[in-house]
Coordinates of all heavy atoms in Angstrom, one line a residue:
M1 N 168.0 131.1 55.4 CA 168.5 132.0 56.3 C 169.3 131.4 57.3 O 169.2 130.2 57.9 CB 167.3 132.6 57.0 CG 167.7 133.8 57.9 SD 166.3 134.7 58.7 CE 165.9 133.5 60.1
E2 N 170.5 132.1 57.7 CA 171.6 131.6 58.5 C 170.9 131.4 60.0 O 170.1 132.0 60.4 CB 172.7 132.5 58.5 CG 173.9 132.0 59.4 CD 175.0 133.0 59.6 OE1 174.9 134.1 58.8 OE2 176.0 132.8 60.3
L3 N 171.3 130.2 60.5 CA 170.9 129.9 61.9 C 171.7 130.5 62.9 O 172.9 130.1 63.1 CB 170.9 128.2 62.1 CG 170.1 127.8 63.3 CD1 168.7 128.0 63.0 CD2 170.4 126.3 63.4
L4 N 171.2 131.6 63.4 CA 172.0 132.4 64.4 C 171.7 132.1 65.8 O 170.5 131.8 66.1 CB 171.7 133.9 64.1 CG 172.2 134.5 62.7 CD1 171.9 135.9 62.5 CD2 173.7 134.1 62.5
R6 N 172.2 129.9 68.1 CA 171.7 128.6 68.3 C 172.8 127.5 68.6 O 172.5 126.4 68.8 CB 170.7 128.0 67.4 CG 169.5 128.8 67.0 CD 168.5 128.8 68.2 NE 167.2 129.5 68.0 CZ 166.9 130.7 68.4 NH1 167.9 131.4 69.2 NH2 165.8 131.2 68.2
D7 N 174.1 128.0 68.6 CA 175.2 127.1 68.8 C 175.1 126.4 70.2 O 175.3 125.2 70.3 CB 176.6 127.8 68.8 CG 176.8 128.2 67.3 OD1 176.2 127.6 66.3 OD2 177.6 129.1 67.1
L10 N 172.7 123.5 69.8 CA 173.2 122.5 69.1 C 174.2 121.7 69.9 O 174.3 120.3 69.7 CB 173.8 123.0 67.8 CG 172.7 123.6 66.7 CD1 173.4 124.2 65.6 CD2 171.9 122.3 66.2
L13 N 172.5 119.4 72.3 CA 172.0 118.2 71.5 C 173.0 117.2 71.2 O 172.9 116.0 71.2 CB 171.1 118.7 70.4 CG 169.9 119.3 70.7 CD1 169.3 120.0 69.4 CD2 168.9 118.5 71.3
D14 N 174.2 117.8 70.8 CA 175.3 116.8 70.5 C 175.7 116.0 71.6 O 175.9 114.8 71.5 CB 176.5 117.6 70.0 CG 176.3 118.3 68.7 OD1 175.5 117.8 67.9 OD2 177.1 119.4 68.4
G37 N 161.8 128.8 65.5 CA 163.0 128.1 64.9 C 163.2 126.6 65.5 O 164.3 126.2 65.4
K38 N 162.1 126.0 66.1 CA 162.4 124.8 66.7 C 162.6 123.7 65.7 O 163.6 123.0 65.7 CB 161.1 124.4 67.5 CG 160.7 125.3 68.6 CD 159.5 125.0 69.3 CE 158.3 125.0 68.6 NZ 157.8 126.4 68.2
T39 N 161.9 123.7 64.6 CA 162.2 122.8 63.4 C 163.4 123.0 62.8 O 164.2 122.1 62.5 CB 161.0 122.8 62.3 OG1 159.8 122.6 63.1 CG2 161.2 121.9 61.3
S40 N 163.8 124.4 62.6 CA 165.1 124.6 62.0 C 166.3 124.2 62.8 O 167.3 123.6 62.3 CB 165.2 126.1 61.8 OG 164.2 126.6 60.9
L41 N 166.0 124.3 64.1 CA 167.3 123.8 65.0 C 167.3 122.2 64.7 O 168.4 121.7 64.7 CB 166.9 124.1 66.4 CG 167.9 123.5 67.4 CD1 169.2 124.4 67.4 CD2 167.2 123.7 68.9
V42 N 166.2 121.6 64.8 CA 166.2 120.1 64.7 C 166.7 119.6 63.3 O 167.6 118.7 63.2 CB 164.9 119.4 65.0 CG1 164.8 118.0 64.7 CG2 164.4 119.9 66.4
D43 N 166.4 120.4 62.2 CA 166.8 119.9 60.9 C 168.4 120.2 60.9 O 169.1 119.3 60.2 CB 166.2 120.9 59.9 CG 164.8 120.6 59.7 OD1 164.3 119.4 59.9 OD2 163.9 121.3 59.2
T44 N 168.9 121.3 61.5 CA 170.3 121.6 61.4 C 171.1 120.5 62.2 O 172.1 119.8 61.8 CB 170.7 122.9 62.0 OG1 170.0 123.9 61.3 CG2 172.1 123.2 62.1
F45 N 170.3 120.0 63.4 CA 171.1 118.9 64.2 C 171.0 117.6 63.4 O 171.9 116.8 63.5 CB 170.1 118.8 65.5 CG 170.5 117.7 66.4 CD1 172.0 117.7 66.9 CD2 169.7 116.6 66.6 CE1 172.2 116.5 67.7 CE2 170.1 115.6 67.4 CZ 171.4 115.5 68.0
R46 N 169.9 117.4 62.6 CA 169.9 116.2 61.8 C 171.1 116.1 60.7 O 171.7 115.1 60.7 CB 168.6 116.0 61.2 CG 168.5 114.7 60.2 CD 167.0 114.5 59.7 NE 166.4 115.6 58.9 CZ 165.3 115.4 58.4 NH1 164.6 114.3 58.5 NH2 164.8 116.5 57.8
D47 N 171.3 117.2 60.1 CA 172.4 117.2 59.2 C 173.7 117.0 59.9 O 174.6 116.5 59.2 CB 172.5 118.8 58.6 CG 171.3 119.1 57.7 OD1 170.6 118.1 57.3 OD2 170.9 120.2 57.4
R48 N 173.8 117.4 61.1 CA 175.2 117.0 61.9 C 175.2 115.6 62.2 O 176.3 115.1 62.6 CB 175.2 118.0 63.1 CG 175.3 119.4 62.9 CD 175.0 120.3 64.0 NE 175.8 120.3 65.3 CZ 176.6 121.3 65.6 NH1 176.5 122.3 65.1 NH2 177.2 121.1 66.8
H49 N 174.1 114.9 62.3 CA 174.1 113.5 62.8 C 173.4 112.6 61.8 O 172.5 111.9 62.2 CB 173.6 113.4 64.2 CG 174.4 114.0 65.2 ND1 175.5 113.5 65.8 CD2 174.2 115.4 65.7 CE1 176.0 114.4 66.7 NE2 175.3 115.5 66.6
A50 N 173.7 112.7 60.6 CA 173.0 112.0 59.5 C 173.2 110.6 59.6 O 172.4 109.7 59.1 CB 173.5 112.4 58.2
W54 N 166.8 108.1 62.2 CA 165.8 109.2 62.5 C 164.4 108.7 62.3 O 164.0 108.2 61.2 CB 166.1 110.4 61.6 CG 167.3 111.1 62.0 CD1 168.7 110.8 61.7 CD2 167.3 112.3 62.8 NE1 169.5 111.7 62.3 CE2 168.8 112.7 63.0 CE3 166.3 113.1 63.5 CZ2 169.1 113.7 63.8 CZ3 166.9 114.3 64.2 CH2 168.1 114.5 64.3
W56 N 160.3 110.2 62.7 CA 159.7 111.5 62.7 C 158.1 111.4 62.7 O 157.7 110.6 62.0 CB 160.1 112.4 61.5 CG 160.3 113.7 61.6 CD1 159.2 114.8 61.7 CD2 161.6 114.4 61.8 NE1 159.8 115.9 62.0 CE2 161.3 115.9 62.0 CE3 162.9 114.0 61.6 CZ2 162.2 116.9 62.1 CZ3 163.9 115.1 61.8 CH2 163.6 116.4 62.0

Side-chain angles (χ1 to χ4, degrees):
M1 188 175 78
E2 183 181 356
L3 195 66
L4 297 178
R6 297 296 187 252
D7 286 347
L10 287 169
L13 289 172
D14 289 340
K38 301 181 289 293
T39 300
S40 296
L41 178 71
V42 176
D43 285 341
T44 302
F45 175 61
R46 178 168 58 174
D47 292 340
R48 292 159 70 114
H49 296 276
W54 285 80
W56 216 284

